[in-house]
């Protein structure tokens, strides 16, 4: 399958490498390819892009628009506060009719710790994306776990824990659920409801960052019990 | 021990009955005792107060101020959007120096479902209470589970799941943790941090209401796995 991963940070690198390892044709998109390759620093969980590309030559690099055009399925792995801009650059016509998996969180560390969310409570990033690109099939998922856990849930508790999907399109949620289970190894995927239910998944981050602090590790998740 | 429970709704009734069953001297506080006893309707999870009192004669009824004066330990079981007013009526002098267990959520259903929170993201109810009553030792806890689960965690998954405490006073958190474990039967209590960490516990409600919808029951919680 042709997959377009928007964002070249830790989440983008992790997802792109996973898709490529499953023999999908992956293109990773960024604002300015040459500028991104020239950077010697890297964000949280990432390595400098040139170094990453040398290790993952099967993953193509392109602009946001090129990666979005390439993908039959798209992944928003940009930083949440920059996602709408990045998707605008990707172009509505390249998103139309496609499943857009939104992994982003709008964590704002500009005032230090604890971070706040730039969108919360009465709206969510996923809803804003869905409103801005009504022809895309936005599915929020995986934003509730650390990037490594996203694609390898067995890293914690033998994989016995939960992840969510939120979205307006039942077919798109079914497709994403299949990817989560069959490609990434998630055992249980809970359908939270329509795209407004992404508020819950996004607002959970305020608890997640505290749990990470209290437990001293980002390698955590929760298992719903009844 | 003398316990003051502020609020006579479902949460207040549940907590007051539990404390009384453990032979503590409980007074439940409300705005206007006669008006409350005259009401024939009851909120979520509650029975009309006169009926409840007939079944629980060992629990005294008083005003917010009387219940706060009575308690060596206080519990805020009022509706979150009314909590600050209720505590104002309870009186700062009756809260000073005492552990104040805050169970409330500021769920606002005025615009229908999904509810929003009247306070979120950059602040929390628990922080507002702590700021308004700096001499109280506010500990946020139990707001992440259904009222029945609060006092009987074994109702789901044999009690193998988690609850949190947030607060600025380490001694108060230790006392509340002891109550949670020894009186209510919680096995694992995670200290999230200072009172600002209550934002995480309160914002989780946006996810909780969706989980309740998806799973079709409020009898749910999560177990943190690593």
């Amino acid at each position: 399958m042709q997959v377009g991963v928007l964002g070249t940070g830790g989440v983008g690198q992790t997802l792109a490498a996973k898709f490529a390892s499953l023999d999908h044709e992956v293109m990773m998109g960024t604002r300015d390819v040459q500028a991104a390759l020239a950077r010697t620093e890297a964000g949280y969980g990432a390595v400098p892009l040139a170094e990453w590309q040398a290790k993952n030559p099967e993953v193509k690099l392109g602009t946001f628009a090129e990666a979005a055009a390439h993908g039959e399925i798209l992944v928003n792995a940009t930083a949440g506060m920059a996602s709408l801009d990045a998707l605008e650059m990707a172009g509505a016509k390249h998103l139309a009719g496609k499943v857009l998996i939104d992994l982003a969180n709008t964590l704002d560390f500009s005032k230090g710790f604890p971070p706040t969310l730039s969108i919360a409570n009465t709206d969510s990033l996923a809803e804003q994306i869905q409103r801005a690109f009504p022809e895309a099939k936005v599915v929020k998922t995986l934003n509730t776990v650390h990037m490594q856990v996203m694609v390898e849930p067995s890293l914690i508790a033998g994989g016995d824990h939960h992840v969510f999907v939120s979205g307006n399109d039942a077919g798109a949620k079914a497709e994403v659920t299949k990817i989560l289970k069959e490609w990434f190894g998630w055992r249980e995927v809970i359908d939270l409801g329509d795209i407004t239910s992404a508020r819950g998944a996004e607002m959970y981050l305020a608890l997640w960052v505290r749990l990470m602090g209290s437990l001293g590790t980002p390698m955590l998740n929760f298992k719903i019990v009844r």
Side-chain angles (χ1 to χ4, degrees), chain A:
Chain A
M1 205 158 189
Q2 298 202 167
V3 183
V5 175
L6 308 178
T8 57
V11 177
Q13 291 180 3
T14 302
L15 272 283
K18 181 69 177 188
F19 286 121
S21 77
L22 298 167
D23 291 331
H24 298 290
E25 290 176 44
V26 187
M27 185 184 285
M28 208 155 54
T30 187
R31 180 183 297 257
D32 177 328
V33 177
Q34 292 316 312
L37 284 170
R39 261 180 236 126
T40 52
E41 83 285 13
Y44 178 66
V47 297
L49 189 58
E51 186 184 320
W52 190 88
Q53 198 192 29
K55 287 182 189 152
N56 297 272
E58 71 283 18
V59 175
K60 292 175 201 151
L61 268 182
T63 61
F64 285 129
E66 287 166 345
H70 167 87
E72 297 166 274
I73 282 192
L74 303 178
V75 177
N76 174 33
T78 61
M81 291 177 72
S83 292
L84 283 163
D85 277 354
L87 291 165
E88 200 59 57
M89 284 186 268
K93 69 174 183 288
H94 296 136
L95 308 182
K98 296 179 184 174
V99 172
L100 172 56
I101 302 175
D102 174 30
L103 314 177
N105 284 305
T106 64
L107 288 170
D108 179 359
F109 285 92
S110 64
K111 295 195 181 72
F113 192 88
T116 56
L117 299 174
S118 70
I119 308 163
N121 200 18
T122 56
D123 202 358
S124 61
L125 175 63
E127 288 168 85
Q128 292 196 353
I129 293 173
Q130 186 64 81
R131 288 200 303 274
F133 304 98
E135 293 183 78
K137 298 170 185 169
V138 180
V139 179
K140 187 91 197 187
T141 191
L142 291 176
N143 70 299
T144 54
V145 294
H146 188 64
M147 55 186 85
Q148 294 172 36
V149 179
M150 289 181 182
V151 297
E152 198 169 346
S154 64
L155 284 174
I156 49 181
D160 188 19
H161 46 98
H162 288 87
V163 73
F164 311 111
V165 289
S166 298
N168 293 339
D169 188 292
K173 281 194 286 195
E175 194 171 337
V176 172
T177 298
K178 195 174 150 85
I179 288 171
L180 293 171
K181 290 186 170 179
E182 296 182 8
W183 298 10
F184 297 168
W186 284 91
R187 286 193 216 164
E188 293 190 83
V189 179
I190 295 178
D191 184 345
L192 287 181
D194 68 13
I195 198 69
T196 67
S197 68
R199 291 178 203 176
E202 294 183 15
M203 289 165 76
Y204 162 70
L205 262 284
L207 180 56
W208 190 89
V209 296
R210 297 302 191 136
L211 286 169
M212 180 179 67
S214 290
L215 305 179
T217 175
M219 301 301 282
L220 69 95
N221 192 17
F222 56 80
K223 173 180 163 65
I224 305 295
V225 296
R226 277 177 266 187

